[in-house]
Amino acid sequence: MSLITLKFFIFLCVTLIAYYTVPKKAQWMILLSASLIFYAYASPKYLIFLFASAISAFVCAKLIQTKKSKAYLVLAVVINIGILFVLKYTGFFFEIINSLSGAGLKNVRFLLPLGISFYTFMVISYVVDVYRGDIEAEGNFLKFLLFVSYFPQITEGPINRFSHTAPMLYAEHDFDFPADLASMLTGFLKM
């Protein structure tokens, strides 16, 4: 969904209305739902890669925290870089093999999932931070999934640290009409 369309503006308005209407303890769930809808709109079948990255990082971070083993850090990095590498470079390697050997292998090209490089590096950063002891591993998978998939940051970034972003995502917010409306319109006009 392009950010400069009426469809996105309506999506954003519905998200904001839902966010400020639900009980404050459930606000993060609205953000998670909106983020998953945003990714699914791009291509529902590629949600599997988002979930694979999130699950591998979540599980490895919990294991790192309990067992203090570097092997789980390496596992998380290998899984996530592996997914990214296969999706981005499989077609390139098929072309090289075909041009060098004349094998005539059918070239495989994947349509890249929305934001895959972005969320891959976010989950790696998270796992590294847990390994270094900078943060505690998140105990709630859905909250962690919100951190990984938060849709407003996917198009422009930056790659945020869990320690800086998570508290803002999970906090309860009151609606301050003049300030929030001005912020929303300013952000929308910058797109």
Side-chain angles (χ1 to χ4, degrees), residues 98-110:
N98 284 336
S99 67
L100 293 176
S101 69
L105 297 173
K106 184 179 177 188
N107 196 350
V108 177
R109 291 200 182 270
F110 295 104

Side-chain angles (χ1 to χ4, degrees), residues 35-37 39-40 43-52 113 119:
S35 297
L36 294 177
I37 290 167
Y39 277 94
S43 182
K45 65 183 177 183
Y46 289 122
L47 279 173
I48 188 81
F49 299 111
L50 176 69
F51 280 99
Y119 64 72

